Amino acid sequence: HIVEGMYAFLCGNRIEDAEFSSPTSAHTVDPSLFTADSVMEFGYCTELLLRLQTAKTDPAAFDVGILTEYLQSIGDSVVTVKSDSIVKLHVHTMTPYKVLEFCQRFGEFLTVKIENMMLQHNETLEKEAHTVPAAKTNTKRRPFAVVAVAMGEGIRNSFSEMGADAVIEGGQTMNPSAEDFLNAFDEVNADTVFVLPNNGNILLAARQAAQMYAGSDVRVIPTHSIGDGYAVLSMLDPDSGNADRIEAEMNDAMQGVLTAEISQSIRNADLNGVSVHCGEYIGFIGKEIIASCPNREEAACRTLERMDLSSHGLVLVIRGKQTAQTDAKIVSDYIRKHYPTVEICESDGGQDVYDYILVAE
């Protein structure tokens, strides 16, 4: 509907107004799925429409960045959009009352929705527990499919949402086997399968599996990092129907992408003129050590400095399993201060090995 509206506007046409009902309007909460002994783990999905009030602020000059910065300090998955004097926002937070208190400094609410995400999680588990698994059958044959490799639940989910039809768990220190690839090729059941290894050490296994598999035309895209994989998926467009063209566009999408990783050193070393001490955090691009610091956020910032973001428009800050959102904010604030024109996208990757993955596009 959004695309149809844009197309109609560009053509000078008008489309009829449509009414849409909320899929959650008839949802009934089952209180038994969140008891007195339950532990709140995931927080609350908080959404609201805020009408800016002239008695509290200047609606025309109001900077929505004020809300964004505050919400990022108390939650994640932050979205804030301003249209005239109305602000729409979304945040996942453990303290929704703080969202309401802060926003009311600038206006009054038109709508407010606060949902217990722990309850939603338990409802999903309950539904899965009572669902009889269907017999495994091959999906309908499709012309194209993408198989990607990723480590970390957040990254794997992102890849799936961006268009990967199958995501194999794997990465640094955990390379998938050729059999893992063959099973994934069977699962996606496509005429042409594009493979994103996303790690230089996994390229060989992917290519071996491609040579072994006879059921599809398997093409390995030489993605050496998670950043390459993000770039390829963000530009993925199979609508041309031409496998050669899609493959060429995938290879072009990686050009100019820089991926840096921050991880803790397990030994002393002198590499590329950088003295590394055991226990310090090292930043590297590919196999080149960029920085070594006692603090991981300092290592991330020094690595970003060496990356020279002035020629890039977007930076993905993907935090690892052991990195708190408040710590990642230090890195994002560094980018905002030194590269104010660069857009920042923060993500909880959930990866084990790397405390940060920094992708510049």
Side-chain angles (χ1 to χ4, degrees), residues 22-306:
S22 171
T24 60
S25 58
H27 178 67
T28 301
V29 173
D30 183 355
S32 67
L33 296 177
F34 192 83
T35 69
D37 297 319
S38 297
V39 178
M40 174 56 76
E41 182 179 350
F42 300 124
Y44 299 88
C45 178
T46 305
E47 298 178 340
L48 59 86
L49 286 179
L50 178 72
R51 172 74 78 176
L52 300 172
Q53 299 288 295
T54 54
K56 298 183 177 184
T57 187
D58 180 353
F62 182 78
D63 182 5
V64 75
I66 297 172
L67 294 177
T68 303
E69 183 175 0
Y70 177 75
L71 295 177
Q72 288 175 339
S73 71
I74 63 169
D76 56 17
S77 299
V78 175
V79 177
T80 54
V81 180
K82 178 175 178 282
S83 178
D84 295 327
S85 62
I86 294 179
V87 175
K88 181 176 182 178
L89 65 83
H90 169 280
V91 62
H92 293 171
T93 179
M94 298 292 287
T95 53
Y97 70 92
K98 291 185 178 180
V99 178
L100 303 182
E101 287 179 346
F102 189 79
C103 290
Q104 208 165 16
R105 298 180 187 180
F106 310 104
E108 301 297 342
F109 307 116
L110 299 177
T111 63
V112 175
K113 184 177 76 171
I114 300 174
E115 294 185 331
N116 184 326
M117 292 194 294
M118 195 69 202
L119 181 60
Q120 294 175 338
H121 173 72
N122 291 343
E123 287 175 343
T124 301
L125 294 181
E126 181 76 4
K127 182 178 179 181
E128 291 176 350
H130 291 84
T131 301
V132 178
K136 184 176 180 181
T137 58
N138 289 334
T139 59
K140 182 179 178 180
R141 187 77 171 181
R142 65 187 83 179
F144 304 107
V146 176
V147 172
V149 180
M151 178 180 289
E153 183 179 0
I155 297 177
R156 293 196 300 272
N157 290 341
S158 294
F159 277 10
S160 295
E161 292 169 1
M162 295 172 70
D165 300 282
V167 182
I168 302 171
E169 185 174 8
Q172 194 69 18
T173 74
M174 196 175 88
N175 296 348
S177 65
E179 183 179 1
D180 292 328
F181 282 105
L182 296 175
N183 291 336
F185 300 160
D186 279 337
E187 177 187 340
V188 298
N189 191 20
D191 295 330
T192 302
V193 178
F194 299 101
V195 185
L196 309 181
N198 300 328
N199 187 296
N201 295 333
I202 300 176
L203 267 172
L204 179 60
R207 286 171 173 159
Q208 286 177 336
Q211 293 174 355
M212 295 166 59
Y213 195 73
S216 304
D217 174 15
V218 181
R219 305 188 182 198
V220 179
I221 309 301
T223 51
H224 285 78
S225 67
I226 289 296
D228 289 345
Y230 265 104
V232 169
L233 288 173
S234 67
M235 299 299 290
L236 179 63
D237 181 12
D239 289 345
S240 68
N242 185 300
D244 293 335
R245 178 177 174 180
I246 296 170
E247 182 179 11
E249 290 174 346
M250 286 179 155
N251 283 293
D252 288 343
M254 294 186 292
Q255 305 308 311
V257 176
L258 277 180
T259 301
E261 293 148 330
I262 311 299
S263 185
Q264 194 168 25
S265 174
I266 58 173
R267 61 185 176 87
N268 296 329
D270 287 301
L271 300 169
N272 307 121
V274 179
S275 181
V276 178
H277 300 284
C278 181
E280 287 190 339
Y281 292 88
I282 54 176
F284 49 93
I285 299 176
K287 296 183 179 180
E288 182 181 1
I289 301 292
I290 301 298
S292 180
C293 305
N295 178 277
R296 63 187 170 197
E297 280 68 47
E298 181 185 356
C301 293
R302 287 185 58 184
T303 301
L304 286 165
E305 181 182 356
R306 292 286 302 276

